[in-house]
Amino acid sequence: MNAFLILEDGHVFEGKSFGAQKEVICEVVFNTSMTGYLEVLTDPSYQGQGVVMTYPLIGNYGVCLEDIESEKPWHSAFIVREISRTSSNFRREEDLEDYLKEHDIPGICGVDTRAITKILREHGCMGGMITTNPDFNLDEILPKLKEYTVTDAVKTVSRTEKEHFNGDGFKVALLDLGTKNNIIRSLEKRGCDVTVYPADTTAEEILGDQPDGIMLSNGPGDPKECVQIIKEIKKLYDSEVPIFAICLGHQLMALATGADTEKMRWGHRGGNHPVKDLKSGRVYISSQNHGYVIKEETIDPDVAEVSFINVNDKTIEGLDYKNKNIRTVQFHPEACPGPQDTAYLFDEFMDRMKGAKNA
């Protein structure tokens, strides 16, 4: 069946429908990863978005459920150049198209993803629609696309109850803002006793459980929407517990300490973003997924200093907080596209918890 991708600037791309056959409006973004489409699909940070994969062939190794980053895919739509109708991998459990049908996610293939990406790079991410209706009316659709925004994103993806993962090491409290499973796995691998808390958990409850360390996870949406969560993170900041924050957690900690954020033109999404450690001078390849960034000029130099920058556009990729046992990064050290480039940050978090406990 024919399908159409309509962008808010009036561009229309015709292709073929795959996955669920339904009409959706979403924010259209692009991801430059060459592999890992299942991890991208199940990353809660993509809630409310339609993702354009720039790599031309998607689905060739099928779906390996061991690799999922959450209990289900969160995309509103999936946009690819070519969908592999057959898949081959010794770990494969089903085809990608069947997986999308199961979770009611529409896709469109046979479109020029290179052209779509160039439009998004020039004009920024924008509202879009996927439809199989050939009789669409642009005059009616375009205003709806221009008005579309992702709202209540963290509330939509976060757990509603605490979940405990037994370990015999440090007690880590993980605030679930849309956490990826590999953050939990990275902590479990290091022996941590992990408790995952819903996003609306109070600081008093978290601190009352006497964790050795606190992690703030990744997540979707505009960080400034998380007004109450920011208030609770400020209380966590005022404690003496070591904190490690990733992506949205990194942005919320900055907002909690007086800095500001802004929306990027097209964001960083992919497994090939170079980041530079300003202390060592080393450059690492990182996995990223974010559409907002901390404004450097709003950071109080008495509160925090920039620790990492993006090599491509010089945006902030990490902060170290002064006189506090807190480090935050914009990228995803649990994803390790290198494959182990920045996993050392978890080891560093272990060392900081050990130091705090022995102090």
Side-chain angles (χ1 to χ4, degrees):
M1 179 179 290
N2 289 343
F4 304 88
L5 169 64
I6 304 167
L7 299 179
E8 70 174 56
D9 67 351
H11 278 94
V12 178
F13 294 84
E14 182 175 358
K16 295 294 183 181
S17 172
F18 72 96
Q21 292 183 1
K22 60 185 289 191
E23 186 170 282
V24 295
I25 293 177
C26 54
E27 180 184 26
V28 182
V29 303
F30 65 88
N31 183 295
T32 57
S33 299
M34 295 178 69
T35 62
Y37 52 80
L38 182 60
E39 290 88 338
V40 171
L41 277 165
T42 54
D43 180 350
S45 296
Y46 285 107
Q47 195 275 328
Q49 296 178 327
V51 180
V52 180
M53 299 299 292
T54 62
Y55 192 72
L57 178 64
I58 300 296
N60 54 311
Y61 54 86
V63 170
C64 309
L65 294 176
E66 184 182 354
D67 298 337
I68 62 175
E69 290 289 2
S70 61
E71 76 278 9
K72 68 174 188 176
W74 293 96
H75 288 199
S76 292
F78 206 36
I79 303 157
V80 304
R81 178 67 184 90
E82 181 181 351
I83 179 72
S84 179
R85 300 294 180 177
T86 59
S87 55
S88 177
N89 185 284
F90 72 97
R91 297 171 62 236
R92 168 200 171 279
E93 295 174 65
E94 60 182 307
D95 287 332
L96 177 58
E97 182 168 15
D98 293 335
Y99 183 69
L100 293 177
K101 286 179 180 178
E102 287 172 20
H103 294 281
D104 200 31
I105 296 175
I108 182 171
C109 62
V111 292
D112 190 341
T113 51
R114 181 180 177 87
I116 297 168
T117 301
K118 289 176 72 175
I119 290 169
L120 298 177
R121 279 186 57 87
E122 183 174 350
H123 301 290
C125 297
M126 60 182 74
M129 172 186 280
I130 287 184
T131 181
T132 56
N133 177 14
D135 299 320
F136 56 82
N137 186 323
L138 281 181
D139 291 335
E140 293 179 0
I141 292 173
L142 295 184
K144 296 178 182 178
L145 303 187
K146 292 175 182 178
E147 293 170 2
Y148 179 81
T149 57
V150 179
T151 58
D152 293 327
V154 171
K155 180 180 179 181
T156 301
V157 302
S158 178
R159 283 169 172 77
T160 56
E161 296 181 356
K162 280 200 297 188
E163 188 172 1
H164 186 226
F165 299 83
N166 288 311
D168 56 7
F170 293 117
K171 288 178 59 178
V172 176
L174 172 58
L175 188 62
D176 178 13
L177 306 169
T179 191
K180 294 166 63 180
N181 287 342
N182 214 32
I183 293 177
I184 300 171
R185 295 188 197 109
S186 296
L187 294 168
E188 286 186 300
K189 179 181 177 182
R190 291 161 174 82
C192 293
D193 186 88
V194 183
T195 302
V196 187
Y197 295 80
D200 59 0
T201 306
T202 64
E204 287 80 8
E205 179 177 349
I206 293 173
L207 295 172
D209 288 342
Q210 298 183 319
D212 298 310
I214 297 170
M215 281 212 64
L216 309 178
S217 82
N218 63 291
D222 184 346
K224 291 180 185 177
E225 273 199 351
C226 304
V227 176
Q228 186 57 44
I229 297 173
I230 292 169
K231 291 179 180 178
E232 300 303 319
I233 289 176
K234 179 64 169 69
K235 298 174 188 176
L236 298 177
Y237 170 85
D238 290 334
S239 75
E240 297 303 317
V241 181
I243 298 175
F244 182 30
I246 293 172
C247 197
L248 180 63
H250 156 80
Q251 297 165 5
L252 296 182
M253 179 60 74
L255 289 169
T257 54
D260 195 11
T261 58
E262 62 183 348
K263 188 168 186 177
M264 305 176 75
R265 193 172 185 182
W266 57 76
H268 295 155
R269 298 175 181 88
N272 47 12
H273 288 264
V275 297
K276 183 176 182 179
D277 183 333
L278 296 182
K279 288 184 179 178
S280 69
R282 290 191 63 180
V283 174
Y284 301 91
I285 298 301
S286 71
S287 176
Q288 302 198 15
N289 172 20
H290 62 103
Y292 293 82
V293 68
I294 297 168
K295 297 166 70 174
E296 184 171 4
E297 66 274 14
T298 67
I299 299 170
D300 185 341
D302 294 328
V303 172
E305 63 180 353
V306 178
S307 56
F308 288 90
I309 61 168
N310 189 289
V311 175
N312 292 332
D313 60 15
K314 312 306 180 192
T315 53
I316 293 175
E317 295 284 0
L319 291 174
D320 287 340
Y321 285 79
K322 298 181 178 179
N323 304 313
K324 288 287 183 180
N325 204 343
I326 300 173
R327 162 165 269 200
T328 71
V329 292
Q330 181 66 76
F331 51 91
H332 286 265
E334 84 287 349
C336 303
Q340 297 294 329
D341 295 52
T342 55
Y344 75 89
L345 292 170
F346 282 96
D347 298 324
E348 183 186 86
F349 182 44
M350 301 301 114
D351 291 340
R352 291 193 289 113
M353 285 191 289
K354 181 178 180 180
K357 201 164 188 176
N358 293 336

